[in-house]
Amino acid sequence: MADPNGFLKHERQEPKKKSYEERLSSWGEVYADVAPDERDEQVRTQASRCMDCGIPFCHSGGSGCPLGNLIPEWNDLVRRGDWAAASDRLHATNNFPEFTGKLCPAPCEAGCVLSISPLSGGPVAIKRVEETIAARSWEAGYVQPQPAEVASGRKVAVVGSGPAGLAAAQQLTRAGHEVTVFERDDRLGGLLRYGIPEFKMEKKVLDRRLAQLRKEGTKFVTGCEVGVDLTVEDLRAQYDAVVLAVGALRGRDDRTTPGRSLEGIHLAMEHLVPANKFVEGDGPSPVDADGKHVVIIGGGDTGADSYGTATRQGALSVTQLDQYPTPPEIRDDERSPWPTWPYILRTYPAHEEAGERKFAVAVKQFVDDGDGHVKAVELQEVRVQKDQETGRREVVPVNGEVETLPADLVLLAIGFEGVEEMPLLEGLGLTLSRRGTLSCGSDWQTETPGVFVCGDAHRGASLVVWAIAEGRSVAAAVDTFLTGASDLPAPVHPTALPLAVV
Ligand SMILES: Cc1cc2nc3c(=O)[nH]c(=O)nc-3n(C[C@H](O)[C@H](O)[C@H](O)COP(=O)(O)OP(=O)(O)OC[C@H]3O[C@@H](n4cnc5c(N)ncnc54)[C@H](O)[C@@H]3O)c2cc1C
Ligand code: SF4
């Protein structure tokens, strides 16, 4: 039984971060190392703030955790110090809690009853509890390979090794199928490897989990673009089912601003991928911010990752631009009522370290240095509004004033347009939807029989937690397709919309 008064006794506490100097002198995670005993004690206190509400909005897919994590259950187990049982309950719904514990924006916390009123001391620190259970699980040896007891004799190909592909592969391997994950990159992990920077999640965390998957029997092939290096004919001939977890990696470009073709202007991923490769030991990045004035266009999370990366590379200045006005500091109940995901100003550790953010501005033009390279951006204050006739979003200058910012490196972090065009899709007879994604039926099967889809490829650029939830769900569908029935859990339906995080 939870302590119904815990939140009256204890305030929410955020984990301690390293000093700015320490953060900027290395690529490691931003949070300070705390001795395990001290950490466990702090987190037990935080978990004791959960009152096990009658309706735990935190764990429902609609407004809370897409995985249906059993949050009140493991909060109470942690409060009582039963870490082994907490690990068991957490892994019952989440293959990779160490990823979500570090990376998830935590819609569960936005849906926590303690986030209704600021007077309650803040929501339960669910994500921190999750991360600590995961850390403790590895330290104590609770995480062990779980190979299947009986082999089904069926073979599954998973295309793409991001969190969706890995979750699907682990579930299907444990169900007894022979699973091979194909990855076109030289290393495994998808955006966990080459999108998300080391300072948000160190790659050793990913490698440790991959070792578990290997020991369970999942096979991996890297440097193999399916549809090119492995033909579609061979794929279909060699495997009984195919899971497409190819992501939605087609970056949105700026096709209208004058000067876009100048050198020194890149999509954010052209900066983040080689920066991550550098941290892996692959040598200098061709798109490095060292000694440069950096302007990042796009106020979202990818922009924040470029921001922290540019700072660590030694940028002279970093400025992130957002077309929208500064969001409110606290939830506006009219616009995003509890328990939905609130529209508020999100300040990431990268923003605290250096640089500046500008809101309600847009680039009028990129300025040439006379040699074909960008040297500045001209900014205007803008308003985003709906065109009365077409209903489309338009960005209009507020006045004629122009501000010039020096810029030797400009990074476009303005979103993703969907799945990349690739020979694999044509070979399988699949076309992209208007949203740039791959559609499927209620059984996660595309219009090509035996070919399934999950993760960003299905829902468009989203979150790690949704990728894992879809990977688990597609595994249940593939298992049913291969054997006629499945005991695997399916946390989400293909039509489930992220009501909390958009
Ligand atoms: C910079 C950045 C930072 C992010 N930060 C966060 C965060 O902090 N928290 C969060 O929750 N989410 C974050 N996200 C979103 C999150 O990373 C994605 O939602 C998630 O990785 C999607 O998982 P996925 O498995 O569907 O696809 P991906 O991770 O994109 O993996 C797809 C994989 O498929 C491979 N592939 C594609 N085609 C083929 C082919 N034909 N053959 C073989 N392999 C192929 C690709 O190389 C890639 O490795 C971030 C995204 C970006 C871009
Ligand atoms: S995965 Fe995300 S939403 Fe689910 S419990 Fe963890 S932090 Fe919350």
Side-chain angles (χ1 to χ4, degrees), residues 411-450:
L411 299 169
L412 304 175
I414 50 178
F416 293 86
E417 289 182 336
V419 179
E420 296 156 287
E421 297 288 352
M422 56 178 97
L424 173 63
L425 302 186
E426 200 185 323
L428 288 171
L430 295 173
T431 49
L432 297 177
S433 69
R434 277 197 318 157
R435 292 177 51 241
T437 54
L438 290 166
S439 307
C440 65
S442 59
D443 61 354
W444 297 91
Q445 206 165 177
T446 64
E447 57 213 27
T448 302

mmCIF file of all heavy atoms in Angstrom, residues 411-450:
data_model
loop_
_atom_site.group_PDB
_atom_site.id
_atom_site.type_symbol
_atom_site.label_atom_id
_atom_site.label_comp_id
_atom_site.label_asym_id
_atom_site.label_seq_id
_atom_site.Cartn_x
_atom_site.Cartn_y
_atom_site.Cartn_z
ATOM 1 N N LEU A 411 22.296 25.407 -38.961
ATOM 2 C CA LEU A 411 21.754 24.042 -38.882
ATOM 3 C C LEU A 411 20.235 24.109 -38.941
ATOM 4 O O LEU A 411 19.607 24.832 -38.150
ATOM 5 C CB LEU A 411 22.214 23.391 -37.584
ATOM 6 C CG LEU A 411 23.748 23.268 -37.458
ATOM 7 C CD1 LEU A 411 24.150 22.862 -36.055
ATOM 8 C CD2 LEU A 411 24.293 22.282 -38.488
ATOM 9 N N LEU A 412 19.665 23.367 -39.878
ATOM 10 C CA LEU A 412 18.206 23.353 -40.042
ATOM 11 C C LEU A 412 17.632 22.185 -39.251
ATOM 12 O O LEU A 412 17.834 21.021 -39.616
ATOM 13 C CB LEU A 412 17.837 23.219 -41.520
ATOM 14 C CG LEU A 412 18.410 24.279 -42.461
ATOM 15 C CD1 LEU A 412 18.058 23.950 -43.903
ATOM 16 C CD2 LEU A 412 17.881 25.661 -42.090
ATOM 17 N N ALA A 413 16.948 22.495 -38.164
ATOM 18 C CA ALA A 413 16.334 21.458 -37.323
ATOM 19 C C ALA A 413 14.830 21.708 -37.345
ATOM 20 O O ALA A 413 14.222 22.074 -36.339
ATOM 21 C CB ALA A 413 16.898 21.547 -35.905
ATOM 22 N N ILE A 414 14.254 21.560 -38.545
ATOM 23 C CA ILE A 414 12.853 21.947 -38.735
ATOM 24 C C ILE A 414 11.958 20.735 -38.983
ATOM 25 O O ILE A 414 10.894 20.839 -39.574
ATOM 26 C CB ILE A 414 12.709 22.988 -39.871
ATOM 27 C CG1 ILE A 414 13.437 22.523 -41.145
ATOM 28 C CG2 ILE A 414 13.242 24.344 -39.431
ATOM 29 C CD1 ILE A 414 13.297 23.493 -42.328
ATOM 30 N N GLY A 415 12.425 19.587 -38.503
ATOM 31 C CA GLY A 415 11.559 18.415 -38.513
ATOM 32 C C GLY A 415 11.906 17.389 -39.577
ATOM 33 O O GLY A 415 12.892 17.514 -40.301
ATOM 34 N N PHE A 416 11.049 16.369 -39.644
ATOM 35 C CA PHE A 416 11.248 15.246 -40.550
ATOM 36 C C PHE A 416 9.978 15.054 -41.365
ATOM 37 O O PHE A 416 8.872 15.257 -40.849
ATOM 38 C CB PHE A 416 11.572 13.976 -39.752
ATOM 39 C CG PHE A 416 12.905 14.060 -39.070
ATOM 40 C CD1 PHE A 416 13.030 14.654 -37.813
ATOM 41 C CD2 PHE A 416 14.042 13.586 -39.681
ATOM 42 C CE1 PHE A 416 14.260 14.761 -37.184
ATOM 43 C CE2 PHE A 416 15.283 13.689 -39.072
ATOM 44 C CZ PHE A 416 15.396 14.280 -37.821
ATOM 45 N N GLU A 417 10.163 14.683 -42.632
ATOM 46 C CA GLU A 417 8.999 14.567 -43.522
ATOM 47 C C GLU A 417 8.497 13.151 -43.684
ATOM 48 O O GLU A 417 7.533 12.912 -44.398
ATOM 49 C CB GLU A 417 9.351 15.155 -44.895
ATOM 50 C CG GLU A 417 9.477 16.668 -44.831
ATOM 51 C CD GLU A 417 9.786 17.297 -46.173
ATOM 52 O OE1 GLU A 417 10.348 16.608 -47.048
ATOM 53 O OE2 GLU A 417 9.459 18.486 -46.333
ATOM 54 N N GLY A 418 9.173 12.194 -43.075
ATOM 55 C CA GLY A 418 8.694 10.816 -43.150
ATOM 56 C C GLY A 418 9.786 9.855 -43.577
ATOM 57 O O GLY A 418 10.979 10.158 -43.508
ATOM 58 N N VAL A 419 9.339 8.680 -44.032
ATOM 59 C CA VAL A 419 10.263 7.608 -44.423
ATOM 60 C C VAL A 419 11.014 8.045 -45.685
ATOM 61 O O VAL A 419 10.422 8.655 -46.583
ATOM 62 C CB VAL A 419 9.468 6.315 -44.711
ATOM 63 C CG1 VAL A 419 10.391 5.177 -45.141
ATOM 64 C CG2 VAL A 419 8.637 5.907 -43.484
ATOM 65 N N GLU A 420 12.290 7.725 -45.730
ATOM 66 C CA GLU A 420 13.066 8.044 -46.941
ATOM 67 C C GLU A 420 12.608 7.158 -48.103
ATOM 68 O O GLU A 420 12.226 6.010 -47.896
ATOM 69 C CB GLU A 420 14.550 7.773 -46.692
ATOM 70 C CG GLU A 420 15.157 8.647 -45.623
ATOM 71 C CD GLU A 420 16.372 7.961 -45.022
ATOM 72 O OE1 GLU A 420 16.182 6.989 -44.271
ATOM 73 O OE2 GLU A 420 17.485 8.395 -45.311
ATOM 74 N N GLU A 421 12.672 7.712 -49.303
ATOM 75 C CA GLU A 421 12.442 6.880 -50.490
ATOM 76 C C GLU A 421 13.606 5.904 -50.569
ATOM 77 O O GLU A 421 14.748 6.314 -50.427
ATOM 78 C CB GLU A 421 12.421 7.738 -51.756
ATOM 79 C CG GLU A 421 11.294 8.768 -51.798
ATOM 80 C CD GLU A 421 9.915 8.144 -52.022
ATOM 81 O OE1 GLU A 421 9.845 6.926 -52.294
ATOM 82 O OE2 GLU A 421 8.914 8.883 -51.891
ATOM 83 N N MET A 422 13.314 4.619 -50.750
ATOM 84 C CA MET A 422 14.400 3.635 -50.844
ATOM 85 C C MET A 422 13.946 2.449 -51.692
ATOM 86 O O MET A 422 12.740 2.159 -51.759
ATOM 87 C CB MET A 422 14.839 3.197 -49.453
ATOM 88 C CG MET A 422 13.745 2.631 -48.579
ATOM 89 S SD MET A 422 14.382 2.089 -46.983
ATOM 90 C CE MET A 422 14.036 3.476 -45.934
ATOM 91 N N PRO A 423 14.910 1.764 -52.356
ATOM 92 C CA PRO A 423 14.547 0.655 -53.234
ATOM 93 C C PRO A 423 13.701 -0.409 -52.539
ATOM 94 O O PRO A 423 12.855 -1.057 -53.167
ATOM 95 C CB PRO A 423 15.907 0.082 -53.665
ATOM 96 C CG PRO A 423 16.871 1.211 -53.495
ATOM 97 C CD PRO A 423 16.356 2.033 -52.369
ATOM 98 N N LEU A 424 13.918 -0.581 -51.237
ATOM 99 C CA LEU A 424 13.171 -1.604 -50.496
ATOM 100 C C LEU A 424 11.662 -1.424 -50.634
ATOM 101 O O LEU A 424 10.916 -2.387 -50.822
ATOM 102 C CB LEU A 424 13.572 -1.518 -49.012
ATOM 103 C CG LEU A 424 12.791 -2.381 -48.033
ATOM 104 C CD1 LEU A 424 12.979 -3.856 -48.343
ATOM 105 C CD2 LEU A 424 13.235 -2.090 -46.596
ATOM 106 N N LEU A 425 11.210 -0.170 -50.553
ATOM 107 C CA LEU A 425 9.755 0.074 -50.583
ATOM 108 C C LEU A 425 9.191 -0.301 -51.943
ATOM 109 O O LEU A 425 8.144 -0.963 -52.034
ATOM 110 C CB LEU A 425 9.451 1.536 -50.250
ATOM 111 C CG LEU A 425 9.970 2.041 -48.898
ATOM 112 C CD1 LEU A 425 9.477 3.450 -48.643
ATOM 113 C CD2 LEU A 425 9.557 1.112 -47.760
ATOM 114 N N GLU A 426 9.875 0.119 -52.978
ATOM 115 C CA GLU A 426 9.394 -0.210 -54.329
ATOM 116 C C GLU A 426 9.396 -1.724 -54.533
ATOM 117 O O GLU A 426 8.427 -2.310 -55.048
ATOM 118 C CB GLU A 426 10.298 0.469 -55.356
ATOM 119 C CG GLU A 426 9.636 0.611 -56.710
ATOM 120 C CD GLU A 426 10.597 1.186 -57.735
ATOM 121 O OE1 GLU A 426 11.413 2.060 -57.377
ATOM 122 O OE2 GLU A 426 10.515 0.724 -58.890
ATOM 123 N N GLY A 427 10.473 -2.352 -54.079
ATOM 124 C CA GLY A 427 10.582 -3.809 -54.226
ATOM 125 C C GLY A 427 9.452 -4.547 -53.522
ATOM 126 O O GLY A 427 9.005 -5.603 -53.973
ATOM 127 N N LEU A 428 8.999 -3.993 -52.408
ATOM 128 C CA LEU A 428 7.907 -4.642 -51.650
ATOM 129 C C LEU A 428 6.535 -4.182 -52.138
ATOM 130 O O LEU A 428 5.502 -4.615 -51.605
ATOM 131 C CB LEU A 428 8.046 -4.315 -50.154
ATOM 132 C CG LEU A 428 9.208 -4.998 -49.420
ATOM 133 C CD1 LEU A 428 9.353 -4.418 -48.017
ATOM 134 C CD2 LEU A 428 8.983 -6.508 -49.350
ATOM 135 N N GLY A 429 6.529 -3.264 -53.105
ATOM 136 C CA GLY A 429 5.255 -2.770 -53.636
ATOM 137 C C GLY A 429 4.547 -1.832 -52.667
ATOM 138 O O GLY A 429 3.310 -1.756 -52.655
ATOM 139 N N LEU A 430 5.313 -1.103 -51.857
ATOM 140 C CA LEU A 430 4.710 -0.207 -50.864
ATOM 141 C C LEU A 430 4.863 1.255 -51.267
ATOM 142 O O LEU A 430 5.902 1.659 -51.790
ATOM 143 C CB LEU A 430 5.370 -0.412 -49.492
ATOM 144 C CG LEU A 430 5.156 -1.785 -48.866
ATOM 145 C CD1 LEU A 430 6.000 -1.931 -47.608
ATOM 146 C CD2 LEU A 430 3.672 -1.996 -48.542
ATOM 147 N N THR A 431 3.832 2.032 -51.000
ATOM 148 C CA THR A 431 3.928 3.472 -51.241
ATOM 149 C C THR A 431 3.700 4.204 -49.924
ATOM 150 O O THR A 431 3.060 3.678 -49.013
ATOM 151 C CB THR A 431 2.864 3.949 -52.259
ATOM 152 O OG1 THR A 431 1.611 3.415 -51.853
ATOM 153 C CG2 THR A 431 3.191 3.514 -53.672
ATOM 154 N N LEU A 432 4.208 5.427 -49.875
ATOM 155 C CA LEU A 432 4.082 6.207 -48.644
ATOM 156 C C LEU A 432 2.752 6.938 -48.609
ATOM 157 O O LEU A 432 2.224 7.359 -49.652
ATOM 158 C CB LEU A 432 5.231 7.214 -48.545
ATOM 159 C CG LEU A 432 6.636 6.602 -48.452
ATOM 160 C CD1 LEU A 432 7.699 7.695 -48.439
ATOM 161 C CD2 LEU A 432 6.750 5.744 -47.203
ATOM 162 N N SER A 433 2.230 7.117 -47.416
ATOM 163 C CA SER A 433 0.992 7.875 -47.237
ATOM 164 C C SER A 433 1.277 9.366 -47.433
ATOM 165 O O SER A 433 2.443 9.771 -47.562
ATOM 166 C CB SER A 433 0.449 7.657 -45.821
ATOM 167 O OG SER A 433 1.330 8.300 -44.900
ATOM 168 N N ARG A 434 0.235 10.174 -47.386
ATOM 169 C CA ARG A 434 0.425 11.627 -47.537
ATOM 170 C C ARG A 434 1.313 12.176 -46.433
ATOM 171 O O ARG A 434 1.986 13.182 -46.579
ATOM 172 C CB ARG A 434 -0.931 12.338 -47.529
ATOM 173 C CG ARG A 434 -1.604 12.315 -48.902
ATOM 174 C CD ARG A 434 -2.682 13.327 -48.982
ATOM 175 N NE ARG A 434 -3.464 13.332 -47.742
ATOM 176 C CZ ARG A 434 -4.172 14.335 -47.302
ATOM 177 N NH1 ARG A 434 -4.218 15.428 -47.982
ATOM 178 N NH2 ARG A 434 -4.846 14.266 -46.179
ATOM 179 N N ARG A 435 1.288 11.509 -45.284
ATOM 180 C CA ARG A 435 2.128 11.943 -44.156
ATOM 181 C C ARG A 435 3.565 11.446 -44.290
ATOM 182 O O ARG A 435 4.396 11.677 -43.414
ATOM 183 C CB ARG A 435 1.540 11.438 -42.847
ATOM 184 C CG ARG A 435 0.207 12.086 -42.481
ATOM 185 C CD ARG A 435 -0.353 11.493 -41.199
ATOM 186 N NE ARG A 435 0.633 11.508 -40.124
ATOM 187 C CZ ARG A 435 1.080 10.405 -39.518
ATOM 188 N NH1 ARG A 435 0.663 9.227 -39.871
ATOM 189 N NH2 ARG A 435 1.951 10.510 -38.542
ATOM 190 N N GLY A 436 3.830 10.700 -45.361
ATOM 191 C CA GLY A 436 5.187 10.196 -45.574
ATOM 192 C C GLY A 436 5.475 8.930 -44.791
ATOM 193 O O GLY A 436 6.636 8.544 -44.638
ATOM 194 N N THR A 437 4.430 8.259 -44.298
ATOM 195 C CA THR A 437 4.628 7.070 -43.464
ATOM 196 C C THR A 437 4.112 5.825 -44.182
ATOM 197 O O THR A 437 3.480 5.917 -45.233
ATOM 198 C CB THR A 437 3.882 7.234 -42.134
ATOM 199 O OG1 THR A 437 2.515 7.553 -42.433
ATOM 200 C CG2 THR A 437 4.477 8.342 -41.298
ATOM 201 N N LEU A 438 4.340 4.662 -43.569
ATOM 202 C CA LEU A 438 3.839 3.401 -44.107
ATOM 203 C C LEU A 438 2.602 2.994 -43.318
ATOM 204 O O LEU A 438 2.657 2.889 -42.082
ATOM 205 C CB LEU A 438 4.917 2.322 -43.998
ATOM 206 C CG LEU A 438 6.118 2.511 -44.940
ATOM 207 C CD1 LEU A 438 7.275 1.607 -44.534
ATOM 208 C CD2 LEU A 438 5.714 2.240 -46.388
ATOM 209 N N SER A 439 1.511 2.777 -44.023
ATOM 210 C CA SER A 439 0.255 2.441 -43.347
ATOM 211 C C SER A 439 0.177 0.936 -43.106
ATOM 212 O O SER A 439 0.853 0.147 -43.766
ATOM 213 C CB SER A 439 -0.939 2.856 -44.209
ATOM 214 O OG SER A 439 -0.807 4.211 -44.561
ATOM 215 N N CYS A 440 -0.682 0.586 -42.161
ATOM 216 C CA CYS A 440 -0.904 -0.843 -41.889
ATOM 217 C C CYS A 440 -2.324 -1.037 -41.394
ATOM 218 O O CYS A 440 -3.017 -0.080 -41.033
ATOM 219 C CB CYS A 440 0.087 -1.358 -40.851
ATOM 220 S SG CYS A 440 -0.106 -0.628 -39.230
ATOM 221 N N GLY A 441 -2.741 -2.312 -41.361
ATOM 222 C CA GLY A 441 -4.061 -2.636 -40.826
ATOM 223 C C GLY A 441 -4.000 -2.798 -39.322
ATOM 224 O O GLY A 441 -2.962 -2.536 -38.698
ATOM 225 N N SER A 442 -5.113 -3.269 -38.747
ATOM 226 C CA SER A 442 -5.157 -3.390 -37.285
ATOM 227 C C SER A 442 -4.219 -4.493 -36.792
ATOM 228 O O SER A 442 -3.947 -4.588 -35.601
ATOM 229 C CB SER A 442 -6.586 -3.668 -36.820
ATOM 230 O OG SER A 442 -7.031 -4.852 -37.429
ATOM 231 N N ASP A 443 -3.711 -5.323 -37.735
ATOM 232 C CA ASP A 443 -2.749 -6.366 -37.342
ATOM 233 C C ASP A 443 -1.302 -5.944 -37.661
ATOM 234 O O ASP A 443 -0.415 -6.783 -37.724
ATOM 235 C CB ASP A 443 -3.076 -7.678 -38.049
ATOM 236 C CG ASP A 443 -2.993 -7.539 -39.572
ATOM 237 O OD1 ASP A 443 -2.791 -6.391 -40.062
ATOM 238 O OD2 ASP A 443 -3.133 -8.554 -40.270
ATOM 239 N N TRP A 444 -1.070 -4.674 -37.860
ATOM 240 C CA TRP A 444 0.252 -4.099 -38.128
ATOM 241 C C TRP A 444 0.835 -4.562 -39.458
ATOM 242 O O TRP A 444 2.007 -4.341 -39.751
ATOM 243 C CB TRP A 444 1.259 -4.422 -36.995
ATOM 244 C CG TRP A 444 0.867 -3.843 -35.683
ATOM 245 C CD1 TRP A 444 0.109 -4.440 -34.714
ATOM 246 C CD2 TRP A 444 1.198 -2.544 -35.165
ATOM 247 N NE1 TRP A 444 -0.056 -3.592 -33.639
ATOM 248 C CE2 TRP A 444 0.609 -2.435 -33.884
ATOM 249 C CE3 TRP A 444 1.946 -1.467 -35.660
ATOM 250 C CZ2 TRP A 444 0.729 -1.292 -33.112
ATOM 251 C CZ3 TRP A 444 2.075 -0.334 -34.876
ATOM 252 C CH2 TRP A 444 1.471 -0.255 -33.623
ATOM 253 N N GLN A 445 0.022 -5.214 -40.296
ATOM 254 C CA GLN A 445 0.508 -5.718 -41.571
ATOM 255 C C GLN A 445 0.277 -4.650 -42.643
ATOM 256 O O GLN A 445 -0.817 -4.084 -42.733
ATOM 257 C CB GLN A 445 -0.258 -7.000 -41.927
ATOM 258 C CG GLN A 445 0.517 -7.928 -42.817
ATOM 259 C CD GLN A 445 -0.108 -9.350 -42.842
ATOM 260 O OE1 GLN A 445 0.363 -10.186 -43.536
ATOM 261 N NE2 GLN A 445 -1.144 -9.592 -42.103
ATOM 262 N N THR A 446 1.296 -4.418 -43.447
ATOM 263 C CA THR A 446 1.136 -3.480 -44.554
ATOM 264 C C THR A 446 0.270 -4.139 -45.631
ATOM 265 O O THR A 446 -0.146 -5.291 -45.478
ATOM 266 C CB THR A 446 2.502 -3.111 -45.177
ATOM 267 O OG1 THR A 446 3.058 -4.312 -45.736
ATOM 268 C CG2 THR A 446 3.465 -2.532 -44.148
ATOM 269 N N GLU A 447 0.087 -3.415 -46.735
ATOM 270 C CA GLU A 447 -0.725 -4.019 -47.797
ATOM 271 C C GLU A 447 -0.010 -5.204 -48.457
ATOM 272 O O GLU A 447 -0.623 -5.950 -49.222
ATOM 273 C CB GLU A 447 -1.135 -2.961 -48.838
ATOM 274 C CG GLU A 447 0.025 -2.248 -49.474
ATOM 275 C CD GLU A 447 -0.289 -0.792 -49.818
ATOM 276 O OE1 GLU A 447 -1.149 -0.199 -49.148
ATOM 277 O OE2 GLU A 447 0.325 -0.277 -50.762
ATOM 278 N N THR A 448 1.273 -5.373 -48.170
ATOM 279 C CA THR A 448 1.994 -6.546 -48.683
ATOM 280 C C THR A 448 1.978 -7.637 -47.612
ATOM 281 O O THR A 448 2.537 -7.444 -46.527
ATOM 282 C CB THR A 448 3.452 -6.161 -49.035
ATOM 283 O OG1 THR A 448 3.405 -5.100 -49.992
ATOM 284 C CG2 THR A 448 4.211 -7.332 -49.611
ATOM 285 N N PRO A 449 1.342 -8.770 -47.883
ATOM 286 C CA PRO A 449 1.196 -9.799 -46.848
ATOM 287 C C PRO A 449 2.545 -10.252 -46.277
ATOM 288 O O PRO A 449 3.524 -10.400 -47.020
ATOM 289 C CB PRO A 449 0.500 -10.959 -47.594
ATOM 290 C CG PRO A 449 -0.172 -10.310 -48.762
ATOM 291 C CD PRO A 449 0.683 -9.147 -49.146
ATOM 292 N N GLY A 450 2.576 -10.420 -44.966
ATOM 293 C CA GLY A 450 3.792 -10.890 -44.308
ATOM 294 C C GLY A 450 4.802 -9.788 -44.034
ATOM 295 O O GLY A 450 5.866 -10.039 -43.472
#
